[in-house]
Amino acid sequence: MAADKQNDAKVSLMEENKENLPDGGLGLEILQIIKESQQQHGLRHGDYQRYRGYCSRRLRRLRKTLGFKMGNRHKFVGKKVTVEMLSDNRYLLLVLMEAERAWSYAMQLKQEANTEPRKRFHLLSRLRKAAKHSEKLEKLCESPRVDAKTKLEAQAYTAYLTGMVEFELQEWKQAMEAFNKCKTIYEKLASAFTEDLAVLYRQRVDEISPNIRYCAYNIGDQNAINDLMQMRLTGGGGGMMAEKLEALITQARTKQAATMSEVEWRGRTVPVKIDKARVFLLGLADNEAAIAQAANEETKEHLYETLLAECRDTIQAVKEELKTEAKQRERSSDGDTGKVSNLQYLHSYLTYIKLCTLVKRNESMAHTLQAKLKEPEADENKRGPRPQDLIRLYDIILQSLAELSTLQGLEDDHAFQKEVSLKTLVYKAYRCFFIAQSYVLVKKWSEALVLYERVLKYAKEVQSKAKSLNNSLKDLPDVQELIAEVNAEKYSLQAAAILGASLEVPLCDHLETFRFDPSLVGKQPSLVQFPPDFQPIPCKPLFFDLALNHVAFPPLDDKVEQKGKGGLTGYIKGIFGFGS
């Protein structure tokens, strides 16, 4: 509530400065106000309900400030903002907030309509109401008291909401016309004002561009699908539009899947009868091309996750068919012929795609981390990437390669097994290299040196085996670069070990000698050696009584017999004192 009032105070200062302006001087930054309000009150996280509550509270405060109350607590009396009231631009803001409240409620219902389809009717009602309020705002802005910029923004805002209504009704032509009108106005505004405002207008243009192309595709423009795919690569059309793009792409692939009947892999042709597998395999090349053309690492990571999710769903569908096939085989009298079935081979192929995609994704993440690892740390308090992070990524890669070598149907494929073995050696070399780097950080020079030698051993083994497999190294990291880097690290390691041995003398060992040591005023000064070295000390003597074995003790038989002769009588006398 306090944040709401602070935002209202800022807007009120702008509004008061424009309150008594002459004709044509009344203005309202429509797009700027709604964008700031949306970002600060829930839409950054897609929380439309929170934004709707904010709009309601702001409307209440505006009505109270302007004295524009709808009756009293006993009776509702509706009022409308008229042109004659436009002495204050807060009346325009009042209508704008009414439109925003209805729009946010519609977007909230759209999220809920995924699980409750009946809410779609209420959604359309709220969207129409938002468009109606925007039309009312546009008519008010036609007054000569309102400046030209606000008039244009009001027209663009009305066109946007009208386009949203037609878009939901699947009236593609009308929706496209409204969105194009909105886009044209914002492009003109962007070219006419300062860079700060132009950024906002361009962002709005980027938001509605996927909607325009989607409408064009549904009207019949087949070239629009390519534009939509490109927008998907660049991250355009976020939120609910992204869902429509994915659904459209899946629909287009489903139509093409009818023509696909088989797939060839490693010399064996396998029929593909499962529709989900057909759709996935048709889109595989497009997905891989999209990943290769990704604009940034974030988009690339999102595309990898999408591809892996589709692959897992397809593998699950094939597994269900495998269970059915296994039951039919048990009922039949043929039994197991020993040959891998077509369905099992298809399962192996899909698993191969999944594991290879995992390897590529983790290798991409490793390249990004390596680049960050070489950059100097800007902030000492902020934790940057460390070699341990890369070790974990290469562990996952090696685990995926181990699963590749156990795929059914490829046990006797010696060329495939050699390729997997070669890739395993390459990634083992890189993993060993970063383990050595982690030892260098803690100044364990000897361990790091041994690990560097192991890296060279792996790298030379890769080079010797790669001669017979020429095409296997084209997608792998360059081993020659790794060898050069290891040799350079070895020399610097030896120098660091010698320098460290001469400098790492604790302060307590040279108290009588002055030596300039900047580390003494740092965060980890070397004051004493800890833990201290072991020192020899005299051992505690052990004494053995050797004479005890040669001592003859006097006999005690007579005393033992006297004690035994007393019996029960002597015991009773002893108790009562008669024998004393």
Side-chain angles (χ1 to χ4, degrees):
M1 290 293 291
D4 294 351
K5 290 178 180 177
Q6 286 178 359
N7 291 333
D8 280 350
K10 291 178 183 177
V11 175
S12 296
L13 286 174
M14 292 191 299
E15 292 161 351
E16 287 170 6
N17 291 332
K18 297 176 182 178
E19 225 174 280
N20 299 316
L21 291 175
D23 289 352
L26 197 66
L28 190 71
E29 303 285 349
I30 294 175
L31 186 61
Q32 185 176 357
I33 288 171
I34 62 175
K35 280 295 180 184
E36 288 178 358
S37 301
Q38 288 173 2
Q39 289 298 309
Q40 293 173 13
H41 298 93
L43 261 63
R44 187 174 294 176
H45 311 290
D47 190 349
Y48 292 98
Q49 186 174 3
R50 180 184 162 195
Y51 180 58
R52 176 189 163 207
Y54 162 76
C55 292
S56 298
R57 293 192 301 274
R58 191 166 188 184
L59 273 170
R60 192 183 306 118
R61 288 193 298 273
L62 282 169
R63 288 189 181 123
K64 186 176 179 180
T65 306
L66 295 169
F68 194 76
K69 296 182 179 180
M70 302 287 192
N72 53 39
R73 67 177 63 184
H74 303 295
K75 185 179 179 182
F76 173 79
V77 179
K79 288 185 180 180
K80 293 184 179 180
V81 179
T82 61
V83 176
E84 291 74 20
M85 296 180 182
L86 295 182
S87 58
D88 190 334
N89 60 3
R90 281 177 290 185
Y91 285 104
L92 297 176
L93 184 61
L94 189 70
V95 182
L96 177 63
M97 284 296 107
E98 286 178 340
E100 281 293 291
R101 181 175 63 174
W103 172 83
S104 59
Y105 194 11
M107 294 300 103
Q108 177 191 339
L109 290 167
K110 186 163 187 173
Q111 289 179 333
E112 296 170 0
N114 293 328
T115 54
E116 301 176 65
R118 292 285 305 171
K119 289 193 174 182
R120 178 170 169 77
F121 298 104
H122 195 184
L123 147 70
L124 290 170
S125 172
R126 292 293 96 188
L127 260 184
R128 287 192 185 100
K129 189 165 188 177
K132 187 176 179 181
H133 284 305
S134 67
E135 289 170 4
K136 182 179 175 182
L137 177 64
E138 184 182 356
K139 287 181 181 177
L140 288 172
C141 290
E142 289 175 0
S143 167
R145 300 181 186 181
V146 180
D147 62 17
K149 180 187 172 189
T150 306
K151 289 178 182 178
L152 286 172
E153 284 207 45
Q155 290 173 15
Y157 184 65
T158 303
Y160 174 74
L161 289 179
T162 304
M164 291 291 288
V165 174
E166 300 296 343
F167 192 86
E168 287 299 325
L169 292 171
Q170 298 185 2
E171 298 289 343
W172 308 118
K173 189 174 181 180
Q174 292 88 329
M176 187 175 175
E177 289 173 359
F179 283 135
N180 276 326
K181 179 181 176 182
C182 177
K183 180 182 177 183
T184 304
I185 293 172
Y186 281 129
E187 285 176 342
K188 294 293 183 184
L189 287 169
S191 62
F193 290 94
T194 59
E195 187 61 29
D196 293 338
L197 288 173
V199 169
L200 277 176
Y201 296 137
R202 291 192 196 105
Q203 284 177 356
R204 177 66 94 177
V205 170
D206 293 339
E207 285 174 16
I208 61 178
S209 292
N211 299 51
I212 294 171
R213 301 310 299 160
Y214 190 82
C215 293
Y217 173 78
N218 283 287
I219 290 171
D221 184 1
Q222 296 300 321
N223 295 326
I225 188 67
N226 298 325
D227 297 335
L228 290 170
M229 290 288 290
Q230 194 63 31
M231 288 175 183
R232 179 174 173 244
L233 293 183
T234 56
M240 296 172 187
M241 189 59 206
E243 297 176 6
K244 288 188 177 291
L245 285 178
E246 294 296 335
L248 177 64
I249 291 164
T250 305
Q251 182 183 0
R253 287 173 184 166
T254 305
K255 290 179 182 177
Q256 297 173 4
T259 60
M260 182 181 184
S261 59
E262 59 187 19
V263 65
E264 185 179 353
W265 181 54
R266 303 207 64 89
R268 179 172 172 177
T269 303
V270 181
V272 183
K273 298 178 181 179
I274 304 170
D275 291 337
K276 198 172 189 67
R278 287 178 178 176
V279 172
F280 172 74
L281 292 172
L282 272 173
L284 181 61
D286 292 337
N287 284 327
E288 289 177 346
I291 291 169
Q293 297 171 13
N296 50 52
E297 291 299 323
E298 186 178 352
T299 306
K300 185 181 286 187
E301 179 64 21
H302 170 70
L303 291 172
Y304 269 126
E305 289 297 332
T306 304
L307 177 58
L308 286 170
E310 290 177 5
C311 191
R312 291 188 192 102
D313 292 343
T314 308
I315 289 172
Q316 187 59 38
V318 175
K319 279 183 180 178
E320 296 296 328
E321 292 294 327
L322 276 172
K323 290 178 184 178
T324 307
E325 185 185 63
K327 289 178 182 178
Q328 291 175 353
R329 191 176 295 175
E330 288 175 3
R331 293 171 189 165
S332 64
S333 58
D334 296 340
D336 189 9
T337 59
K339 184 180 177 182
V340 176
S341 66
N342 287 332
L343 201 58
Q344 182 60 58
Y345 199 75
L346 177 62
H347 180 269
S348 296
Y349 178 45
L350 293 169
T351 308
Y352 168 81
I353 293 170
K354 184 191 79 171
L355 294 173
C356 287
T357 306
L358 275 172
V359 169
K360 290 176 183 176
R361 186 194 69 173
N362 287 301
E363 187 182 353
S364 174
M365 293 170 67
H367 283 312
T368 305
L369 281 176
Q370 285 180 46
K372 291 181 179 178
L373 201 62
K374 293 176 182 178
E375 295 175 358
E377 291 186 5
D379 188 1
E380 294 183 358
N381 299 323
K382 187 178 179 181
R383 181 191 178 277
R386 292 183 292 185
Q388 289 86 340
D389 302 330
L390 285 154
I391 295 168
R392 175 61 184 155
L393 288 174
Y394 283 111
D395 279 335
I396 298 171
I397 289 174
L398 290 171
Q399 184 181 352
S400 300
L401 291 172
E403 291 180 29
L404 273 176
S405 61
T406 60
L407 289 176
Q408 290 190 13
L410 299 175
E411 298 90 344
D412 299 330
D413 192 337
H414 300 296
F416 177 78
Q417 296 296 338
K418 285 181 181 179
E419 287 178 13
V420 173
S421 174
L422 186 65
K423 290 177 181 179
T424 303
L425 279 175
V426 173
Y427 290 115
K428 273 186 177 180
Y430 272 88
R431 177 180 176 273
C432 193
F433 174 77
F434 288 107
I435 294 175
Q437 292 272 300
S438 65
Y439 276 108
V440 169
L441 289 178
V442 293
K443 299 181 180 179
K444 293 186 176 181
W445 317 116
S446 56
E447 290 89 341
L449 199 57
V450 171
L451 287 166
Y452 281 141
E453 292 295 338
R454 177 68 63 88
V455 174
L456 292 176
K457 176 187 171 185
Y458 282 139
K460 289 175 183 175
E461 194 174 347
V462 168
Q463 286 182 329
S464 63
K465 289 185 176 181
K467 294 177 182 177
S468 58
L469 299 168
N470 295 326
N471 296 326
S472 299
L473 285 175
K474 61 181 181 180
D475 296 329
L476 292 175
D478 191 357
V479 182
Q480 193 60 43
E481 286 184 8
L482 183 64
I483 293 173
E485 193 170 356
V486 167
N487 288 327
E489 289 287 340
K490 279 176 63 179
Y491 298 133
S492 62
L493 183 64
Q494 291 170 353
I498 297 168
L499 187 62
S502 61
L503 289 179
E504 290 181 5
V505 180
L507 180 63
C508 64
D509 292 345
H510 60 86
L511 292 173
E512 295 81 9
T513 308
F514 173 76
R515 181 182 296 172
F516 179 71
D517 189 357
S519 65
L520 292 176
V521 293
K523 291 184 178 180
Q524 296 179 345
S526 179
L527 302 177
V528 294
Q529 183 175 351
F530 186 83
D533 293 333
F534 289 102
Q535 295 182 358
I537 59 172
C539 63
K540 183 179 179 179
L542 298 176
F543 297 98
F544 298 94
D545 193 352
L546 302 177
L548 181 64
N549 298 328
H550 303 283
V551 173
F553 293 97
L556 301 174
D557 297 339
D558 54 342
K559 294 184 178 181
V560 172
E561 289 176 1
Q562 288 177 3
K563 189 176 180 181
K565 287 178 181 179
L568 183 60
T569 308
Y571 178 71
I572 294 172
K573 288 181 179 180
I575 292 174
F576 294 100
F578 297 138
S580 58

